[in-house]
Amino acid sequence: MNKIIPSITVPVINKGITSKVILSDELKDKKVIIFGVPGAFTPTCSEKHMPSYIKLHTQLIDKGIDDIYCLSVNDSFVMNAWLLSYTDGNKIIGIADGNGEVAKSLDLLTDKSKNY
């Protein structure tokens, strides 16, 4: 999927430090992987998604990837706590899309209100 990374200011969590950055500037001239999850601390995301990227981190970096980011519609405090809950969570950089601006800009939102 080729989408233009939006010029939106978001909190990015790297090794426990949160910085507000313009996402397009943060990713400029980098080869990155961005994976999205519905939410931090959710069972499948916590037990399958995040651990898989942590486990494959070295292999992906060895293939020329600069950084691996996790996008979630959580605030920076929750995202930071989730990353810190993993022994090697510092290998993944968090994008805290608490207002869903990045997800909306990339057309990643889906209306699930009929599922209730």
Side-chain angles (χ1 to χ4, degrees):
M1 170 189 333
N2 286 327
K3 298 271 185 175
I4 295 175
I5 300 299
S7 294
I8 296 172
T9 301
V10 291
V12 169
I13 300 93
N14 191 352
K15 296 178 176 60
I17 298 169
T18 301
S19 305
K20 290 198 175 183
V21 302
I22 298 171
L23 191 58
S24 58
D25 291 347
E26 169 77 9
L27 303 177
K28 186 177 182 179
D29 299 325
K30 285 185 178 181
K31 190 174 189 179
V32 302
I33 292 173
I34 301 174
F35 69 98
V37 296
F41 294 108
T42 58
T44 303
C45 298
S46 292
E47 296 166 16
K48 302 276 187 204
H49 300 142
M50 182 63 79
S52 296
Y53 283 95
I54 292 171
K55 181 179 178 183
L56 293 172
H57 180 270
T58 301
Q59 291 175 34
L60 295 168
I61 297 301
D62 288 348
K63 292 193 180 292
I65 299 298
D66 294 309
D67 290 307
I68 302 169
Y69 291 80
C70 178
L71 172 71
S72 185
V73 185
N74 289 106
D75 66 30
S76 60
F77 302 105
V78 171
M79 196 70 181
N80 190 31
W82 189 45
L83 290 168
L84 291 173
S85 74
Y86 294 93
T87 302
D88 290 328
N90 62 345
K91 292 180 177 181
I92 306 299
I93 301 170
I95 302 171
D97 189 23
N99 293 325
E101 296 175 72
V102 176
K104 188 175 190 177
S105 175
L106 295 173
D107 195 28
L108 299 174
L109 298 179
T110 303
D111 184 355
K112 298 290 185 184
S113 59
K114 292 181 182 179
N115 293 351
Y116 296 110

